[in-house]
Amino acid sequence: MPGPFVPPDPGPLVPGSGEAGAAPRPRPAAQQPDWPDRAALRAVTEELAVLPGLVLAEECDRLTERLAAVARGEAVLLQGGDCAETFDGVTEEHVRATFGTLAEMRALITEGARLPVVQLGRIAGQYAKPRSSPFETRSGETLPAYRGDLVNGLAFTLLSRAPDARRLHLGYRVSATTLNLLRALAARGDGEFWTSHEALVLEYEWALTRETPSGRYDLSAHLLWIGERTRQLDGAHLDFVAGIRNPVAVKLGPTTTADEALAIVDQLDPDRTPGRLTFISRMGADAVRDRLPELVSKVEASGARVVWMCDPMHGNTFVMPSGHKTRDLDRIVDEVQGFFDVHAGLGTHPGGLHVEMTGEPVSECLGGSRPVTPEDVPSRYESACDPRLNQRQSLDLARVVAKLYAHRPPSRR
Ligand code: PEP
Ligand code: MN
């Protein structure tokens, strides 16, 4: 049996310098791995700190411009991909399927909204997961929880579940491989394609942060988001993204207060730059109509021009008697409808959609136009973490979203 969870000793490296030093600011960092071998961690982050960034600072700036158009109501943001990418899962087939399905969703939404759609993958770096419990128990055996391929392995053995710092290096390499294919696919098509992941493992994000002539950027992805479990106002995660110039996003769950949302705006977007900050609402179908209006109206009244997007996945997850985590497409659609209703009521722009999806015919979520039934769910359940929409369900949802845009009232800004 492992002992109680001990928060890791901070002491990461100076961002991008390749030299050991003090942490930028000592703040509590939630959800960090308990790396057993600090020397190995230091060696790997020193290696990463002198490797090329995976994206360019000017690409991040261009994405901020695209998101500014979304914030002004002149474009739509579509963000999607796996809940958790795995190193083994990066096959040409898988990357092509995600890219292709996002492109089809984009085409449907473009037509309905009559606006350009910005395509942002949860891809090429989505390897770290926050967990509700640091341990997992199966048939009486307790091991550390799986925290994503960047940290440990999914296999339920002590060896696999031990955090291994060499995985940070592998994560960088596999991200680069994925990006290489994505850049080729995007160059062939007509659309731009951007990458994003949850900025969770701060040692990794710090190691890929660089001082550039235009300021400090985390060059592991174009956009980084902070999850619902790590958005503490005095925590290290918000402090980290406050210091980088990439466009950033923060998930807002149903317990978020308007004061918290306003404090996040002050911390991450003090200059009120349109496109700098995206709020990803993930309230659940039951809460969105109650909880979201106050957040939107108070943030708008503060003068901030944020992108409001809807993640209709994370507030609607439940566990089936078989033990599989799932989500029902009807509930997902209900949350999206609620999100559009709220924006219609306030005269604000429903900026976009954030989904966990794949282009493959998995059976992880219920429902759809070729329905996945509860009996079907175990048959092709391949997610390493949360249940994803399959290709069919992704396109079903995109059609709903296209209609909601086609019939929306004009926003007042
Ligand atoms: C996720 O996006 O996979 C996730 C963990 O979301 P949240 O932070 O909203 O719970
Ligand atoms: Mn998820």
Side-chain angles (χ1 to χ4, degrees):
M1 278 271 292
F5 181 66
V6 181
D9 132 47
L13 307 171
V14 172
S17 68
E19 290 167 12
R25 266 180 277 184
R27 302 234 179 169
Q31 296 278 348
Q32 298 308 285
D34 190 5
W35 302 108
D37 185 345
R38 301 294 298 182
L41 176 65
R42 188 161 289 266
V44 165
T45 50
E46 280 176 357
E47 273 165 38
L48 289 179
V50 293
L51 286 167
L54 294 169
V55 301
L56 300 176
E58 58 259 40
E59 293 175 336
C60 301
D61 289 347
R62 207 173 317 129
L63 177 58
T64 301
E65 284 170 32
R66 300 291 182 268
L67 295 177
V70 180
R72 291 192 301 266
E74 295 161 7
V76 168
L77 174 59
L78 172 64
Q79 186 177 17
D82 294 322
C83 175
E85 293 182 275
T86 59
F87 296 162
D88 287 350
V90 176
T91 61
E92 177 163 346
E93 186 190 0
H94 181 66
V95 175
R96 276 182 184 272
T98 303
F99 182 89
T101 302
L102 276 173
E104 285 185 79
M105 294 175 78
R106 167 175 176 257
L108 290 165
I109 296 171
T110 306
E111 198 182 311
R114 298 183 184 281
L115 291 174
V117 174
V118 180
Q119 289 186 102
L120 180 63
R122 283 177 67 112
I123 199 166
Q126 177 51 23
Y127 293 121
K129 300 311 299 174
R131 302 316 304 246
S132 40
S133 165
F135 298 115
E136 180 183 348
T137 300
R138 281 192 207 171
S139 339
E141 191 184 0
T142 299
L143 292 177
Y146 173 61
R147 289 183 177 276
D149 273 17
L150 197 62
V151 175
N152 59 3
L154 183 57
F156 195 71
T157 66
L158 189 54
L159 189 64
S160 145
R161 290 292 171 93
D164 181 348
R166 287 171 304 184
R167 287 176 169 272
L168 301 182
H169 197 117
L170 206 49
Y172 169 89
R173 297 279 169 200
V174 184
S175 294
T177 305
T178 310
L179 253 167
N180 181 56
L181 178 53
L182 289 169
R183 289 187 188 280
L185 293 171
R188 204 189 50 176
D190 58 349
E192 296 172 319
F193 190 92
W194 313 94
T195 62
S196 67
H197 61 257
E198 177 171 350
L200 183 70
V201 177
L202 291 174
E203 284 97 351
Y204 180 77
E205 303 301 337
W206 269 319
L208 288 173
T209 296
R210 302 283 180 271
E211 302 298 339
T212 80
S214 26
R216 178 185 292 178
Y217 290 77
D218 178 350
L219 298 180
S220 70
H222 298 114
L223 176 143
L224 287 310
W225 83 82
I226 301 302
E228 168 70 359
R229 292 175 186 76
T230 51
R231 60 171 175 77
Q232 298 79 13
L233 292 172
D234 57 353
H237 288 84
L238 287 188
D239 191 50
F240 169 69
V241 291
I244 56 171
R245 294 182 61 88
N246 307 60
V248 297
V250 180
K251 296 272 201 113
L252 301 180
T255 61
T256 314
T257 64
D259 283 347
E260 280 171 343
L262 290 168
I264 294 171
V265 171
D266 283 342
Q267 208 177 134
L268 302 190
D269 184 23
D271 303 328
R272 307 293 192 260
T273 306
R276 156 70 176 166
L277 178 59
T278 293
F279 275 139
I280 308 172
S281 158
R282 35 87 86 220
M283 300 287 163
D286 291 332
V288 64
R289 292 170 182 85
D290 284 347
R291 304 298 312 156
L292 186 58
E294 193 196 354
L295 304 187
V296 175
S297 57
K298 294 208 169 147
V299 167
E300 294 285 312
S302 81
R305 285 294 165 263
V306 305
V307 171
W308 292 101
M309 73 183 324
C310 176
D311 165 1
M313 313 296 294
H314 287 90
N316 298 307
T317 314
F318 65 98
V319 180
M320 301 202 312
S322 63
H324 293 87
K325 263 201 275 186
T326 191
R327 294 155 171 162
D328 189 328
L329 187 61
D330 289 344
R331 305 284 293 159
I332 290 168
V333 165
D334 188 28
E335 178 156 356
V336 173
Q337 260 159 357
F339 175 83
F340 273 76
D341 291 346
V342 168
H343 286 286
L346 295 168
T348 46
H349 180 53
L353 181 71
H354 176 118
V355 277
E356 290 183 341
M357 47 70 66
T358 173
E360 288 154 322
V362 299
S363 59
E364 296 162 8
C365 289
L366 297 167
S369 57
R370 186 185 295 147
V372 172
T373 67
E375 294 70 48
D376 296 333
V377 167
S379 64
R380 244 193 107 167
Y381 200 104
E382 294 169 9
S383 176
C385 193
D386 290 338
R388 302 161 296 177
L389 301 175
N390 61 28
Q391 186 204 26
R392 180 92 174 200
Q393 293 164 330
S394 300
L395 299 181
D396 289 341
L397 181 61
R399 280 189 198 92
V400 169
V401 169
K403 271 203 192 113
L404 287 167
Y405 275 114
H407 300 298
R408 78 194 185 284
S411 62
R412 286 195 288 272
R413 63 156 176 86

